[in-house]
Amino acid sequence: MALIRMFGDLLHLGAIFILLSKMLRQRSAAGISLKSMQLFAIVFCTRYIDLLFKYVGLYNSVMKIFFIASTVHICYLMKFRSPWKATYDRENDTFRIRYLIVPCVVLALLFHSTPRINVVVELLWTFSQYLESVAILPQIFLLEYTDRYDALTSHYLFCLGAYRVVYMLHWLILYYVRDRVMWVSVISGLVQSLLYVDFFYHYVTQVVRRAKQRYELAK
């Protein structure tokens, strides 16, 4: 189980590295949704609030700090620094994220687990699970609207979706072995995975088509 979870973490890390690599090498934020990155920043800051008063281990702490720092850094580049600010497509990145945040707050208040530490931490953790399941929507809407499916952005989304699918597998195994699972995580992960179904289909189609093109050129 630990190996499966670590593989999921590596996919998540890979997604962020791919995105940062694209931005830094191309000196551009074209095709990237700042709205989605802001939602992910909120997700990580609310989920990992326990960093302030709880130490689980070096691996756990480093991963949490990296996810927070890297996401906030991407938001900072796109919001304040050139050339990323100049190349950010704000005219088309118009998804109103309050329509995602407010329902997730309500859901967290109505449906949450028994507090493990205190009720505030539990509510923030539950809110982060709900919000993460829909945080990718502004990115998907931006790509569908502008049709800018370049290779690196596609790889980023694939790794992000695959990370969630792997975590779903981890939770299912955990339920089978220990008869215990966090249903908030499972339901949120299922919703997030379903949002990627159409993208996964187009991604696999693109990969197969490019492989055929390379094969034909090599003949």
Side-chain angles (χ1 to χ4, degrees):
M1 288 187 294
L3 288 176
I4 294 176
R5 185 169 183 174
M6 185 173 292
F7 180 56
D9 289 340
L10 290 176
L11 284 170
H12 200 178
L13 283 173
I16 294 177
F17 279 127
I18 289 170
L19 187 60
L20 276 172
S21 173
K22 167 189 167 70
M23 293 179 66
L24 296 176
R25 286 197 294 111
Q26 297 181 1
R27 306 286 291 175
S28 171
I32 301 171
S33 169
L34 176 59
K35 300 291 184 71
S36 272
M37 298 313 302
Q38 289 171 334
L39 290 176
F40 280 121
I42 295 172
V43 166
F44 297 138
C45 288
T46 53
R47 180 176 302 170
Y48 302 143
I49 192 71
D50 61 341
L51 279 170
L52 300 176
F53 51 83
K54 181 182 178 183
Y55 178 75
V56 176
L58 181 62
Y59 172 82
N60 186 277
S61 297
V62 169
M63 292 290 278
K64 290 177 178 179
I65 292 171
F66 174 79
F67 287 134
I68 293 172
S70 59
T71 310
V72 170
H73 180 62
I74 291 171
C75 291
Y76 169 74
L77 291 178
M78 295 179 68
K79 189 76 174 176
F80 301 109
R81 295 295 300 274
S82 294
W84 299 280
K85 180 180 177 180
T87 54
Y88 162 53
D89 188 3
R90 62 171 43 81
E91 290 185 3
N92 292 313
D93 190 23
T94 56
F95 196 104
R96 297 183 179 180
I97 59 176
R98 62 177 177 272
Y99 293 131
L100 299 177
I101 295 174
V102 173
C104 289
V105 170
V106 174
L107 283 172
L109 291 171
L110 294 176
F111 306 104
H112 56 271
S113 305
T114 303
R116 293 165 291 177
I117 302 174
N118 63 58
V119 67
V120 174
V121 173
E122 186 63 33
L123 288 174
L124 289 174
W125 179 86
T126 305
F127 164 74
S128 76
Q129 292 288 325
Y130 291 139
L131 187 61
E132 186 181 16
S133 69
V134 293
I136 200 62
L137 276 175
Q139 179 68 67
I140 292 175
F141 271 72
L142 176 63
L143 292 179
E144 290 290 343
Y145 188 74
T146 60
D147 198 27
R148 288 181 176 172
Y149 278 91
D150 62 79
L152 287 175
T153 304
S154 296
H155 295 335
Y156 158 69
L157 285 173
F158 177 81
C159 287
L160 205 58
Y163 131 76
R164 213 54 172 143
V165 172
V166 169
Y167 257 66
M168 286 286 293
L169 178 61
H170 166 74
W171 292 323
L172 289 173
I173 295 175
L174 189 67
Y175 178 71
Y176 178 77
V177 173
R178 301 182 183 176
D179 195 24
R180 178 176 62 86
V181 72
M182 290 180 281
W183 289 109
V184 169
S185 297
V186 172
I187 294 172
S188 300
L190 180 61
V191 170
Q192 187 175 1
S193 299
L194 289 174
L195 291 177
Y196 283 93
V197 169
D198 182 64
F199 168 77
F200 281 149
Y201 170 77
H202 289 294
Y203 179 84
V204 172
T205 302
Q206 286 180 4
V207 170
V208 171
R209 184 173 65 249
R210 288 169 183 164
K212 286 182 178 179
Q213 290 174 347
R214 287 195 296 266
Y215 174 74
E216 290 173 357
L217 289 173
K219 285 183 6 179

